[in-house]
Amino acid sequence: MKYIIRAAKYFVYLALLLVVFIAILSALKIVGSDVDSIFRNGKDSLWQIALIMAVFAAVYPRLGFGRRTAFIPGAFQDIRGGVADTMQRLGYELEKEDGENLSFRLSGGFPRFRRMFEDRITMTRNISGFECEGPNRDLVRVISALEDRFRQE
């Protein structure tokens, strides 16, 4: 269900981006103001563009979100403070703590809005550290910062 919601959000995001882009071009008189003059096939192009955006929106959640392991040795009580501190330094706030599992969200409304509220990083405790799940571009940054922090100690 989460996958379908993400795909729908990306479809709406892409559609709004296209509308804003065309509105700006139309306001600057770079393109005409009617659909038939903007697109080669006129109104027929709209369903073709919507189909392309739907395919992209359906594929992106598979590529943009993932799961990776952060290798952080030690007992949970010893590393919990360091994990929370590192995440706060990266702009995340603790959303939920369930036993040894942690969930973080971006702090601040605009960064969350810009990412369509798909900013959660969940950390599930395992034998080697944490299994982290969230946006791939954030996971790389977060895991690298966490492993670097605990490697120094």
Side-chain angles (χ1 to χ4, degrees), residues 82-140:
V83 169
D85 181 54
T86 302
M87 292 300 285
Q88 185 177 17
R89 196 170 36 86
L90 292 172
Y92 286 87
E93 61 188 6
L94 183 64
E95 176 190 36
K96 183 173 58 171
E97 184 171 354
D98 182 25
E100 292 187 348
N101 301 329
L102 305 170
S103 178
F104 293 91
R105 302 224 63 175
L106 278 174
S107 53
F110 184 70
R112 293 192 66 217
F113 174 75
R114 198 179 73 225
R115 299 225 182 145
M116 295 178 293
F117 301 96
E118 293 290 342
D119 59 339
R120 177 178 290 125
I121 292 183
T122 13
M123 300 177 147
T124 307
R125 186 79 168 133
N126 64 19
I127 191 104
S128 60
F130 287 100
E131 185 76 25
C132 302
E133 184 178 356
N136 280 331
R137 64 179 169 195
D138 293 340
L139 284 181
V140 171

Side-chain angles (χ1 to χ4, degrees), residues 47-68:
W47 72 266
Q48 295 167 348
I49 292 170
L51 182 66
I52 291 170
M53 287 190 309
V55 168
F56 181 76
V59 171
Y60 182 74
R62 172 78 61 202
L63 302 174
F65 294 87
R67 185 178 295 204
R68 297 176 189 219

